[in-house]
Amino acid sequence: MPRKEEYFDKMAQMVIDEEDEEIADLCRAYLAEGYDPEEAIFKGLIKGMNEVGKLFEEEEYYISDLLICSDAMYNGIDVLTEKMESHQEKNLATAVIGVVEGDTHDIGKNLVKLMLEIAGFKMIDLGKDVPCEKFIDEALANDAKFIMMSTLMTTTMENMKKVIDMLKERGLRDKFIVMIGGGPVSESFAQKIGADAYSENATEAVKVAKSFIGK
């Protein structure tokens, strides 16, 4: 339905244009049409935030822009989640997620966390600049199935390998599914360091994580 797609485009553009106040009204109008709130989060708000992330990486947007865009996205999410049915399975699995030590860029990590929570995963957010051993300790403490790591810097990618090496040293490698992602990360790098999976973006991360459920 083209009307629904128009809403998605407007939501995405409002996030990009930092319209953090007007977006709530647009989301309410969307819901009044009887459309699916979860679809709007994925195809509208998060699509816009993904574009914001690219603009930030290209240095066209600054931290201040990023914060206002995030406010716009979350203002829209607040409206949409109020009407979401809890029909999806909850607690599909527990995952610890964080940005590796040495990196403080967390926009991508936050999007992945948000989308996985909506999909029914229990997410333990370790934040940014996370020491390697903390990923393992928190995964054990929370009986997690997944360890998820991200970075936006080539200089900290090696810390992903360190976590995997530590798991092997402690005899825990088979206990967790290790997923990695971030700007400089690739499928070939994931294979090289022995990660179980790589996802290019937040949407893909949900599909990849779900593919491991039940295995």
Side-chain angles (χ1 to χ4, degrees):
M1 291 183 287
R3 180 96 173 113
K4 187 166 62 170
E5 298 298 328
E6 287 172 14
Y7 272 112
F8 297 154
D9 291 341
K10 286 180 182 177
M11 288 176 193
Q13 197 60 49
M14 278 189 167
V15 171
I16 295 166
D17 293 341
E18 306 178 28
E19 296 181 26
D20 56 329
E21 295 181 4
E22 298 89 340
I23 198 164
D25 290 335
L26 179 67
C27 291
R28 290 188 191 99
Y30 170 87
L31 292 173
E33 299 273 6
Y35 295 134
D36 178 22
E38 187 173 343
E39 197 173 7
I41 292 173
F42 292 145
K43 295 184 179 179
L45 302 177
I46 288 177
K47 177 184 176 184
M49 202 65 202
N50 282 332
E51 288 302 313
V52 170
K54 292 176 186 176
L55 291 168
F56 180 68
E57 288 176 30
E58 294 164 3
E59 299 184 350
E60 291 186 38
Y61 271 26
Y62 300 100
I63 289 290
S64 57
D65 299 305
L66 207 60
L67 293 173
I68 299 172
C69 292
S70 295
D71 284 344
M73 179 185 71
Y74 284 113
N75 286 349
I77 285 172
D78 285 345
V79 172
L80 293 167
T81 51
E82 285 179 8
K83 297 295 182 182
M84 278 178 62
E85 297 177 15
S86 57
H87 62 272
Q88 70 262 41
E89 294 177 79
K90 289 297 181 183
N91 297 329
L92 292 175
T94 299
V96 296
I97 187 169
V99 181
V100 295
E101 190 168 13
D103 191 351
T104 58
H105 301 89
D106 63 356
I107 180 175
K109 181 268 294 178
N110 290 342
L111 285 175
V112 171
K113 175 200 168 191
L114 174 68
M115 291 187 70
L116 284 166
E117 282 179 336
I118 292 170
F121 286 79
K122 179 181 178 183
M123 303 300 294
I124 309 299
D125 189 357
L126 306 181
K128 50 197 176 185
D129 193 19
V130 180
C132 295
E133 60 272 13
K134 187 172 182 179
F135 281 101
I136 301 170
D137 293 343
E138 291 296 327
L140 287 168
N142 289 280
D143 194 24
K145 182 180 179 73
F146 293 87
I147 293 176
M148 300 181 178
M149 299 179 282
S150 73
T151 187
L152 205 61
M153 300 167 61
T154 55
T155 53
T156 52
M157 288 169 65
E158 192 64 21
N159 285 330
M160 294 177 166
K161 181 178 184 298
K162 284 183 181 178
V163 172
I164 292 172
D165 289 344
M166 287 172 131
L167 286 170
K168 291 176 181 176
E169 289 166 9
R170 293 170 64 173
L172 298 169
R173 182 62 190 91
D174 293 337
K175 185 173 177 62
F176 304 106
I177 296 161
V178 179
M179 286 178 59
I180 64 172
V185 181
S186 64
E187 180 69 46
S188 59
F189 177 74
Q191 293 177 1
K192 179 182 175 182
I193 67 171
D196 295 297
Y198 156 79
S199 60
E200 186 176 2
N201 53 52
T203 305
E204 187 67 23
V206 174
K207 295 178 184 175
V208 172
K210 279 188 169 182
S211 73
F212 285 99
I213 301 300
K215 290 186 179 180

